Amino acid sequence: MYPHISYLAQSYFHQDFDLEAETPLGVVQVFRDGESADTVEALRAEIVALLESEPTEEALANIWLDEAGAEYDPRFEGVTLRDWLRSMAETLTAEK
């Protein structure tokens, strides 16, 4: 249902994601800097649309962890999925 979120999760947030960058948002920066501008914008737009649909935290966890298959769960660091997705969208729009 969210192909760009799934692409990020499966390609960048695999079991060894912590080898990609020092922080999870650093992994998002690696994505931003390495993928085409169209792919980066498509992911950002998908995240924004998801957040605007006002899903529950449980639904966001299901989408990020179960459907997309991410190995990183921000809740272990005290960050909600909503805040994590918001932070990812902001990182995707930041200058390289």
Side-chain angles (χ1 to χ4, degrees), residues 14-80:
H14 47 73
Q15 65 186 16
D16 295 323
F17 76 90
D18 58 339
L19 301 176
E20 301 286 336
E22 292 184 21
T23 66
L25 282 178
V27 175
V28 178
Q29 290 171 342
V30 169
F31 175 91
R32 179 196 68 205
D33 297 346
E35 297 290 336
S36 72
D38 289 343
T39 299
V40 172
E41 176 53 27
L43 173 60
R44 189 202 64 76
E46 202 170 82
I47 291 169
V48 169
L50 172 59
L51 291 172
E52 287 177 349
S53 71
E54 299 184 12
T56 65
E57 187 70 13
E58 184 178 320
L60 291 173
N62 183 56
I63 290 166
W64 176 245
L65 299 169
D66 299 330
E67 292 177 20
E71 293 290 329
Y72 170 66
D73 187 341
R75 297 173 299 180
F76 292 132
E77 296 177 3
V79 178
T80 66

